[in-house]
Amino acid sequence: MRILVQKFGGTSVSSPEARERVIQHIVRERGDGYNIVVVVSAMGRKGDPYATDTLLGLVRGDGDHLPPRERDMLLGCGEIIASAVLCGMLNASGVPSVALTGGSAGIMTDEGFGSARIKRVNPDSIIAHLCRGTVVVVAGFQGISPHGDLTTLGRGGSDTTATALGAALGAEMVDIYTDVNGILTADPRIVTDAKPLPVVSYAEICNMARQGAKVIHPRAVEIAQQARIPVRVRSTFTEDKGTLVTDDLALASGRPVRDKPVTGIAHVSGISQIAVKAIEGRSDMQLQVFQTMARHHISVDFINVTPSGALYTVFDKDAEIADRLLREAGFAPVLVPGCAKISVIGGGMNGQPGVMARIVEALTEQGISIMQSADSNTTIWVLVRESDMVVALRALHAKFDLHI
């Protein structure tokens, strides 16, 4: 049985016209001999009637009084509505289909309401429907707990649903349909000459997604990588093949090869840098700093720890409380708000001399100071002032010839 999983995001199912485009993609792939499993997000974005943020807005004022279990019951409604609506349109078009919740599709999770983890997937129900020639439409972003409660999977949950189902079903491919034509070398809203990437590796797209690119969630890519299932990121509104995510060079044959050390540039803004100097006689300084952050659920990043102190970043929204907590603990932190983290990503940079030199050169030519840096085998990160971010992104994109 040849199985293809297609995931359609909120903008892809937000209007009758968009949903007609979805049906065209389903019919085309079905005509090519695939058995189709469709995963849908809630319809539209904030302000649209059934979008997840809109549903949450119904209890915004009393949200603190809504327990996590009941909050998940509410938030899971958007995807259920989308799956039922698309199922009806498919049947009206002569395509036999059935709508399933995450639970009835066999997605079993723990009880971590709001950010549940998938423990296993039992695809028997889906396979039974596919054997009857039925298109299966699954509500994304959700599963079922051991006690039978609806759970939601957190940010990027529908992407995770798609790749988890793809892995459990042994799918040939998972297609992630969005409102953009694949993965680009940078954010096109900032870098106007950003180019679509025909092929990227799992590691590259994971790093791009973690560092600000919002096309696909890294958790979903990790599942696909473990199962060795290729993923295509495509536009609902064109017939273009989009970006192929794979480590299999044979699958990538026929697509243009970009033999460059850097694949793309990503960014995250709204960051504050915190520096804490060591205090003589307090050998547990680093422990106290990071335990304080952990106790108050403040996420830390870009961490540099030395005998002389600790340097790290938090989101701007957490900076004020982090500063207060550190001072209450007897430290004198230096806070620099309004920063941006820029990530230069590429599987070809490992062992390639001169990449950091070109980064420094690009930023120095624009008079931009690097406040902090770190690296891995596929990524180099630099911290800059947010006021310099746009110029920095464009300069780095040009320096590595990503516009060509």
Side-chain angles (χ1 to χ4, degrees), residues 318-340:
D318 297 322
E320 186 175 341
I321 186 171
D323 183 68
R324 177 175 60 79
L325 291 168
L326 291 169
R327 293 184 185 282
E328 289 174 354
F331 299 108
V334 176
L335 187 70
V336 183
C339 301

Side-chain angles (χ1 to χ4, degrees), residues 34-90:
Y34 284 108
N35 294 273
I36 306 296
V37 178
V38 178
V39 176
V40 291
S41 297
M43 295 189 290
R45 291 178 176 166
K46 186 175 182 180
D48 293 319
Y50 308 113
T52 302
D53 285 339
T54 304
L55 294 173
L56 186 59
L58 295 174
V59 292
R60 184 77 66 186
D62 300 313
D64 290 341
H65 301 286
L66 186 65
R69 174 183 173 275
E70 284 71 22
R71 187 176 184 270
D72 272 11
M73 287 176 61
L74 173 67
L75 297 185
C77 290
E79 282 72 19
I80 294 172
I81 292 169
S83 63
V85 169
L86 184 61
C87 175
M89 292 183 69
L90 282 166

